Amino acid sequence: MDGYTLIDYINWRGDLTFDENPFNIVDNVILCELSYVDYTPVLQAGNPEGISFSEAFRRIKELDAFRLLTAGGGDDSLARKAAESRRFGSVLLTYWADVFDQDSIQFSAVHFELDPDVSYVAFRGTDSSLIGWKEDFMMSFRMIPAQEKAVQYLSLSMRQHRKYYIGGHSKGGNLAVYAVSRLSEAARSQILQIFVNDGPGFSPDVYNTAAMDSLAPIITKLVPVYGIIGRLFHMEAARRYIVNSFGKGILQHDMMTWKLKGPEFDCAERFDNGSEILCNAFTAWVANADEEARKAFVDWLFDSLSAGGAVKLGDLGVRDVPDVLKSILSPSPEAKDVVIDLPKSVLSEAGRQAQETLLEHLQQLRSQIAKLKRTDSRKK
C-alpha cells in the first residue's frame, strides 16, 4: 500500500507520551476519530472526573457495546490500538456530552485531558442520523441548534487553569470555530489552536463572519484532495493542508482514509478537478438561491428521505423506496425550481471547466509547436 495510515502512526508513536513527544496535527485527527465512539454506556454526562481512554474502551468491550458513530460506521481497530498505547490509553475522558433529537439536533463532545495542564476538546461531526445531515445543509440558510449547544458546552466546561486545543471533524470543525468565537476574551486566551478537519465554513448571508475570521491566526484546516464538505463556504485559516487519501471521491471525507508520510500527513498541492467542479457549482447555486429557496430545498430533500420512517441513513431500505421516490418526484412549488437549478449549476460548471481545460491544453500545444518550429529553423 502506497502511504501510511493513522494506525501506523500509533504503532510508531504510541509508546511516547505527550510529555515525551508534543501534541501534533496527526494526534488531533486521531482524537477527533475517537470522539465518534459512543461512550454513553460508560461515561456520565458532564462528569469532570472521567476515566482513562483505555479503561473506557475496556468497559465498552466488556459490555459488547462498541459503536463507532461515523456516517459510514466502522470497526474498533483504531480505538483498540489507541487504548493499548501509552500515548492515548492514559488520556482522561471528561465532560462527555451527547444530545440527540430526531427532529432538531445532533450534538456530542468530549474533553481529552492530555496532561494536568492541557486538554483537547473534540466536537463530534455528523453521524449517520438524518437530522445530523440536515443540520449540515441548514447552515446555508440559518444558524443550527448544535452551534448554540456547542457555545454552552464550551463555556460551561472550560476551566481557568487549563489550556485548550479545540477541534472537530466535518460539522464538528464548524462547531469548534463557532463556539470559540463566542467565548469571552479571557476564555479565548486559553485556546492554543483550533483544528478544522474537513469542516465547512460559514455563509456570509447567515453569519456575521468577522468574529470567526478574527480567529484565523489559531486555525489549522485540513481538507482531502477530493474535498467537498470542507470547502463549502469560506473560512479564514493561518494553515491549510490538502491531504492525500486512499479513498475515492466523497469517501475521502472519512479521516481513516487520509494518508501519512512517516509521522506527518502526505499532502498535495491542489484539489482534484472533480472537487473543483462540485464546489464551484455549489457556490454558484448558493449565490443565486435566496434563504427561502435553500430552506425549501433542504426540507424537500430530508422530508423525502424520511418519508418511509427512516431516522438514520442506515434505516433506508428497499421497503422505503416507493415512499421516498414518491416524495422526491413531487417537490413542493417552493422547492421545484431549486431542485432543477442545482444539477443545472453542476453541469454548467463542469462545461465551463472542461472548456477552460481544453483551451489550456490547446495553448500548451501551440507553445510546443512554436518551439519545434524555432528549433527546426535554427537547424536549417
Side-chain angles (χ1 to χ4, degrees):
M1 182 167 57
D2 180 21
Y4 298 101
T5 67
L6 295 177
I7 291 178
D8 290 324
Y9 171 84
I10 299 178
N11 287 333
W12 293 324
R13 296 294 171 91
D15 61 328
L16 302 174
T17 67
F18 290 103
D19 284 336
E20 295 167 331
N21 188 267
F23 177 86
N24 62 58
I25 195 171
V26 181
D27 297 318
N28 138 69
V29 168
I30 289 174
L31 293 178
C32 282
E33 185 71 20
L34 295 180
S35 75
Y36 279 103
V37 175
D38 181 12
Y39 298 106
T40 304
V42 298
L43 291 183
Q44 181 182 352
N47 188 354
E49 301 300 324
I51 57 176
S52 70
F53 177 72
S54 61
E55 179 65 11
F57 182 77
R58 183 187 68 77
R59 294 185 189 179
I60 287 172
K61 294 299 288 185
E62 282 183 351
L63 294 169
D64 193 25
F66 183 86
R67 291 199 305 159
L68 189 66
L69 300 176
T70 59
D75 59 30
D76 68 359
S77 55
L78 182 79
R80 181 183 298 278
K81 183 64 68 173
E84 293 170 351
S85 71
R86 290 178 66 217
R87 190 169 187 81
F88 299 101
S90 60
V91 167
L92 287 180
L93 278 63
T94 59
Y95 296 103
W96 164 246
D98 189 37
V99 179
F100 178 78
D101 182 311
Q102 69 181 53
D103 295 319
S104 61
I105 185 172
Q106 172 254 321
F107 173 81
S108 181
V110 65
H111 286 230
F112 293 99
E113 294 191 5
L114 309 181
D115 60 43
D117 302 310
V118 179
S119 295
Y120 183 101
V121 181
F123 291 98
R124 182 190 291 168
T126 308
D127 60 15
S128 61
S129 65
L130 291 179
I131 186 58
W133 282 94
K134 185 174 182 179
E135 280 191 306
D136 285 357
F137 281 73
M138 286 165 60
M139 284 190 282
S140 72
F141 63 84
R142 57 167 284 193
M143 295 181 186
I144 61 173
Q147 288 170 329
E148 287 306 313
K149 181 64 69 174
V151 173
Q152 296 170 14
Y153 172 84
L154 197 57
S155 299
L156 294 173
S157 63
M158 285 179 63
R159 293 296 173 259
Q160 292 182 357
H161 69 282
R162 299 187 70 82
K163 295 292 186 181
Y164 294 91
Y165 295 106
I166 314 290
H169 169 243
S170 192
K171 181 180 74 177
N174 178 283
L175 299 183
V177 175
Y178 186 80
V180 173
S181 76
R182 294 278 300 277
L183 291 176
S184 67
E185 186 175 343
R188 281 201 303 271
S189 69
Q190 296 175 245
I191 309 302
L192 298 170
Q193 202 165 0
I194 305 171
F195 292 92
V196 180
N197 303 298
D198 206 22
F202 301 88
S203 170
D205 296 341
V206 180
Y207 303 88
N208 177 359
T209 58
M212 279 74 85
D213 290 346
S214 69
L215 298 173
I218 59 171
I219 293 178
T220 295
K221 186 161 186 177
L222 295 88
V223 183
V225 170
Y226 198 95
I228 301 295
I229 294 171
R231 300 182 64 196
L232 300 179
F233 305 115
H234 181 67
M235 179 185 290
E236 292 289 339
R239 291 159 295 279
R240 294 178 185 271
Y241 299 90
I242 302 174
V243 183
N244 284 314
S245 169
F246 296 107
K248 300 295 183 183
I250 192 65
L251 296 180
Q252 292 185 13
H253 183 56
D254 181 352
M255 296 181 293
M256 289 295 290
T257 72
W258 294 2
K259 285 186 181 182
L260 278 78
K261 197 172 186 178
E264 301 176 347
F265 283 111
D266 180 7
C267 294
E269 293 185 359
R270 61 172 61 185
F271 290 107
D272 181 275
N273 284 340
S275 166
E276 295 282 6
I277 290 172
L278 290 176
C279 288
N280 290 339
F282 180 82
T283 300
W285 174 75
V286 168
N288 293 321
D290 61 22
E291 177 183 331
E292 287 304 312
R294 297 179 211 171
K295 181 180 184 301
F297 173 78
V298 172
D299 286 343
W300 162 79
L301 177 61
F302 286 93
D303 286 348
S304 298
L305 292 176
S306 61
V311 175
K312 298 183 178 181
L313 294 175
D315 295 338
L316 293 169
V318 175
R319 64 176 177 79
D320 301 304
V321 170
D323 290 329
V324 172
L325 285 178
K326 181 180 178 181
S327 186
I328 284 178
L329 294 174
S330 56
S332 66
E334 297 83 5
K336 186 172 291 185
D337 290 341
V338 189
V339 172
I340 294 171
D341 285 345
L342 182 54
K344 281 170 59 179
S345 296
V346 175
L347 291 173
S348 175
E349 177 60 28
R352 184 194 66 77
Q353 186 157 323
Q355 184 179 34
E356 288 182 356
T357 301
L358 179 60
L359 290 173
E360 183 180 340
H361 288 166
L362 286 173
Q363 185 59 44
Q364 291 174 354
L365 182 60
R366 290 194 190 100
S367 298
Q368 291 172 355
I369 292 173
K371 184 177 180 180
L372 287 172
K373 284 182 177 179
R374 288 195 297 271
T375 301
D376 187 56
S377 177
R378 291 193 202 98
K379 288 180 179 179
K380 292 179 179 179

